[in-house]
Amino acid sequence: MATLRAALRGLRPRPFFGPADAPLRRRSSGAGLLYPEHIPTSPLQKVLLAAGSAGMALYNPYRHDMVAVLGETTGCYTLKVLRDQMKRDPEGAQILQERPRISLSTLDLGKLQSLPEGSFGREYLRFLDVNRVSPDTRAPTRFVDDEELAYVIQRYREVHDMLHTLLGMPTNILGEIVVKWFEAVQTRLPMCILGALFGPIRLNSQSLQVLVSELIPWAVENGRRAPCVLNLYYERRWEQPLGALREELGLTAPPLHVQGLA
Amino acid sequence: MAAPGPRVLAGCCGRRWTRALRSCGLPGLRGSWPGGQLSARLLSQEKRATETHFGFETVSEEEKGGKVYQVFESVAKKYDIMNDMMSLGIHRVWKDLLLWKMNPLPGTQLLDVAGGTGDIAFRFLKYIQGQHQQKQKRQVRTQQNLSWEEIAKKYQDEEDSLGGSHVMVCDINREMLKVGKQKALDRGYKAGLSWVLGDAEELPFDDDKFDIYTIAFGIRNVTHVDRALQEAHRVLKPGGRFLCLEFSQVNNPLISRLYDLYSFQVIPVLGEVIAGDWKSYQYLVESIRKFPSQEEFKEMIEDAGFQKVTYESLTSGIVAIHSAFKL
């Protein structure tokens, strides 16, 4: 009963809902769903999913959904730690309460476009354009068996793009690995740690050398110094100049410019 | 004709309701249902009776067709890989056994319903071609003194290696047909093969047209299995054969437990990892459980008018081949 109430409470501020159930349609497993996209899984299934998704993500790095599934199936303990950390911080607690979502429907693109150059919102929009990504390509959480933790991991995924903007990293493999190292130090999610350690397998030796000698130490140092990035209410900081935001988080400029898509 | 008494009516409705839940349907009763004499109480029962199952979910009958279409649309590209992964390649043996049981002769007109990616059709063509080659080999062995004309003919490209055989692949799903056509191109199957978009419950063919009707792993996805069986009966020539390869009930309790464990724990995970689609494969394993047992399905086939209905369970009943004749 408590979980049902929590589920209903969690569902309210969300901008999306599943299709309204027609009177004829009844899900036989409806009682087990904690949030619309939830797929309940047994421990054996979680183990198999973790192993399978790790293997598939290494085999085919373009399977972002596999990285997401790996995060969901391996993160149960770490997500709790992250959630408690968010609760202790005032801004983080507010995020947990209000549950903002970052998607094309919730972002006011016109307003972001009109912001001055150098502001966080404008730079975020530029990042989306230059790298040709959209906040809507994030798959919803499915395998986390607690709806608040499901939101935490969803928030982490949506904040990932913000981190790219803050760190100045493009979305190619090198940039992604750098961001993963940063996230691994910050969040300690097993998926980030695995991604950080095994991602470089697919790099050529030149990039690998640059990565190990300069980018990783920089990412780790910044990750240690910065407060938990999940505690920032990014939606309220669009007007803040990017430089000021970076200073607030203690982020330095990257040691060299990582070339992304032109 | 006066409307039958309310108790009888409720009784009939009840029977229809439970059988509709089992998705068997009543082929005979449907026609004789009094049209305009429905009372308000009957209407509510009537509404419930148009529900059916979609895996373990309950949906309305109109919805089921659309949902099944979406499932196969999304799995079409990875269909063959997933079949190999899920059955560890055993599905190839099952399909080969179906062909072996069919033992088609050259000149056979085959209709393969729900044949999407063409597995049965390609096997049929290979089988006929194989028979033709064996016949040629036998001929060459027996005839030691060949005339020049005969030798020249043997060197020519024999177009009629199929001997007039033809397979029509019919599927309701465009994506599956697309994948099938591409496979045919890749493997070089051209002659004796046609692709048709059609619904198993309402086939776009005339009566008495085909020698053999096959449906492999398709009939459990049909909303009204009885209608599909009736259509099968209609399009077959007298003397024609109906063959159905489908998942069925396992007869061994130990294997059944292992099979359930594998189906529900491993298969959706495989679907997610390989095809990025958990729900379609969850539907697949659930729909297998909802399909009637070998005996029940045999009765349904008999209800459609077929005779000499037999079945053979393969791999302890994981799949079964039902065979019947239109006489």
Side-chain angles (χ1 to χ4, degrees):
Chain A
M1 205 51 200
T3 41
L4 187 61
R5 245 185 278 129
L8 289 171
R9 196 179 356 111
L11 284 176
R12 241 186 294 121
R14 292 199 176 185
F16 69 90
F17 285 88
D21 282 344
L24 277 178
R25 179 185 169 160
R26 292 187 295 273
R27 277 213 122 235
S28 53
S29 56
L33 296 186
L34 299 169
Y35 46 91
E37 292 289 327
H38 186 207
I39 298 179
T41 40
S42 67
L44 174 62
Q45 281 177 321
K46 288 206 173 62
V47 167
L48 292 172
L49 264 178
S53 58
M56 185 52 98
L58 265 182
Y59 176 71
N60 183 354
Y62 291 100
R63 290 287 303 269
H64 300 295
D65 58 325
M66 287 292 101
V67 179
V69 168
L70 182 61
E72 287 171 31
T73 47
T74 53
C76 28
Y77 174 70
T78 321
L79 284 175
K80 285 199 187 113
V81 170
L82 273 176
R83 191 254 319 260
D84 296 336
Q85 200 182 50
M86 281 175 85
K87 274 208 176 123
R88 284 194 294 267
D89 180 270
E91 213 173 332
Q94 208 174 23
I95 296 174
L96 277 179
Q97 185 93 15
E98 293 175 21
R99 308 258 179 116
R101 294 293 305 269
I102 303 173
S103 71
L104 282 179
S105 53
T106 55
L107 289 178
D108 190 351
L109 290 176
K111 189 178 137 221
L112 288 179
Q113 191 88 1
S114 67
L115 286 172
E117 285 288 318
S119 63
F120 175 56
R122 192 78 185 79
E123 294 305 312
Y124 173 64
L125 205 60
R126 174 172 297 137
F127 161 79
L128 289 180
D129 283 331
V130 163
N131 289 278
R132 280 175 248 153
V133 291
S134 148
D136 281 347
T137 51
R138 303 270 163 225
T141 317
R142 277 171 301 160
F143 302 113
V144 178
D145 291 333
D146 177 315
E147 55 93 32
E148 193 169 28
L149 298 180
Y151 174 73
V152 172
I153 203 170
Q154 190 75 43
R155 180 79 184 162
Y156 151 75
R157 277 188 212 147
E158 290 172 358
V159 160
H160 180 83
D161 290 336
M162 311 283 166
L163 288 179
H164 271 282
T165 315
L166 286 170
L167 294 172
M169 288 290 136
T171 51
N172 53 22
I173 292 194
L174 191 55
E176 290 287 353
I177 293 177
V178 176
V179 178
K180 270 285 166 291
W181 273 93
F182 182 86
E183 286 174 347
V185 173
Q186 278 261 312
T187 62
R188 300 214 189 101
L189 279 168
M191 173 262 284
C192 298
I193 297 174
L194 285 172
L197 289 174
F198 289 100
I201 284 179
R202 298 212 144 237
L203 285 178
N204 59 27
S205 53
Q206 199 186 15
S207 309
L208 197 58
Q209 223 239 328
V210 164
L211 181 73
V212 173
S213 59
E214 310 217 19
L215 291 170
I216 288 183
W218 170 78
V220 170
E221 188 197 322
N222 277 286
R224 283 221 179 101
R225 192 168 42 218
C228 180
V229 287
L230 286 176
N231 287 336
L232 289 183
Y233 208 133
Y234 294 98
E235 289 87 335
R236 297 222 179 110
R237 291 169 180 259
W238 295 132
E239 293 95 8
Q240 189 173 5
L242 186 57
L245 186 55
R246 280 183 177 152
E247 230 182 275
E248 186 183 331
L249 294 173
L251 297 175
T252 55
L256 40 88
H257 178 67
V258 180
Q259 193 70 331
L261 298 168
Chain B
M1 177 181 101
R7 198 136 61 100
V8 177
L9 221 48
C12 286
C13 227
R15 222 185 19 249
R16 182 178 175 174
W17 150 250
T18 47
R19 286 196 77 173
L21 270 189
R22 283 206 323 238
S23 97
C24 284
L26 294 172
L29 207 58
R30 216 181 339 117
S32 62
W33 197 247
Q37 311 263 3
L38 298 169
S39 68
R41 182 165 23 115
L42 271 179
L43 268 175
S44 63
Q45 284 176 319
E46 186 79 70
K47 217 168 180 216
R48 259 187 293 154
T50 60
E51 276 186 333
T52 180
H53 54 76
F54 177 72
F56 290 160
E57 213 182 309
T58 310
V59 299
S60 69
E61 281 182 351
E62 297 93 43
E63 258 190 301
K64 173 157 182 177
K67 288 176 83 85
V68 172
Y69 192 94
Q70 277 169 3
V71 164
F72 283 94
E73 196 177 34
S74 94
V75 306
K77 292 201 173 75
K78 298 272 171 100
Y79 186 73
D80 294 319
I81 299 180
M82 282 301 300
N83 280 347
D84 277 329
M85 291 283 150
M86 290 191 292
S87 67
L88 306 169
I90 302 179
H91 75 106
R92 297 169 187 236
V93 176
W94 292 332
K95 288 171 182 161
D96 289 338
L97 280 172
L98 178 69
L99 254 297
W100 189 81
K101 198 171 171 103
M102 191 196 296
N103 195 13
L105 298 170
T108 302
Q109 305 298 305
L110 171 67
L111 172 65
D112 183 25
V113 177
T117 53
D119 279 340
I120 302 292
F122 300 152
R123 280 177 169 80
F124 171 79
L125 292 173
K126 232 168 53 169
Y127 194 97
I128 301 274
Q129 279 166 356
Q131 277 185 334
H132 180 83
Q133 274 168 1
Q134 278 184 341
K135 184 171 141 198
Q136 274 193 322
K137 259 199 233 162
R138 270 197 303 264
Q139 276 183 338
V140 168
R141 244 182 277 143
T142 52
Q143 290 172 347
Q144 294 304 316
N145 301 320
L146 292 175
S147 67
W148 281 115
E149 288 97 9
E150 282 167 340
I151 295 176
K153 202 166 88 166
K154 296 240 184 287
Y155 274 108
Q156 267 167 16
D157 227 358
E158 285 255 17
E159 276 143 37
D160 201 13
S161 64
L162 295 175
S165 320
H166 185 93
V167 54
M168 183 87 76
V169 180
C170 178
D171 200 291
I172 198 173
N173 196 300
R174 275 196 182 83
E175 289 304 316
M176 295 290 278
L177 281 178
K178 257 201 255 181
V179 171
K181 281 190 198 169
Q182 187 58 46
K183 260 169 74 177
L185 273 178
D186 293 338
R187 296 179 195 191
Y189 289 108
K190 267 186 300 218
L193 184 58
S194 311
W195 306 87
V196 170
L197 189 74
D199 185 348
E201 297 182 23
E202 219 180 311
L203 290 170
F205 306 111
D206 288 329
D207 302 358
D208 306 336
K209 269 207 77 181
F210 296 99
D211 295 311
I212 306 184
Y213 173 110
T214 54
I215 183 164
F217 301 119
I219 203 159
R220 74 174 188 285
N221 298 304
V222 171
T223 312
H224 301 105
V225 178
D226 53 328
R227 287 187 207 164
L229 292 171
Q230 282 172 0
E231 280 294 277
H233 192 264
R234 180 179 70 80
V235 302
L236 276 174
K237 289 183 196 163
R241 190 173 193 187
F242 168 86
L243 280 166
C244 172
L245 173 65
E246 189 54 80
F247 288 108
S248 204
Q249 313 286 344
V250 178
N251 43 35
N252 180 318
L254 173 65
I255 298 192
S256 175
R257 286 242 294 273
L258 289 173
Y259 179 54
D260 281 347
L261 184 75
Y262 180 74
S263 294
F264 286 98
Q265 301 298 318
V266 180
I267 287 188
V269 174
L270 276 179
E272 178 63 35
V273 171
I274 297 176
D277 193 344
W278 176 287
K279 296 215 168 139
S280 295
Y281 291 93
Q282 183 75 30
Y283 160 72
L284 179 141
V285 296
E286 289 178 359
S287 68
I288 292 175
R289 298 296 174 297
K290 287 305 237 183
F291 193 69
S293 66
Q294 285 91 324
E295 273 297 325
E296 263 183 73
F297 189 50
K298 175 179 164 187
E299 282 170 27
M300 288 170 71
I301 299 175
E302 279 167 357
D303 284 343
F306 287 100
Q307 285 165 22
K308 302 287 287 165
V309 185
T310 58
Y311 62 82
E312 189 187 330
S313 293
L314 305 173
T315 328
S316 308
I318 296 182
V319 299
I321 301 180
H322 281 77
S323 160
F325 289 91
K326 169 177 176 175
L327 297 172

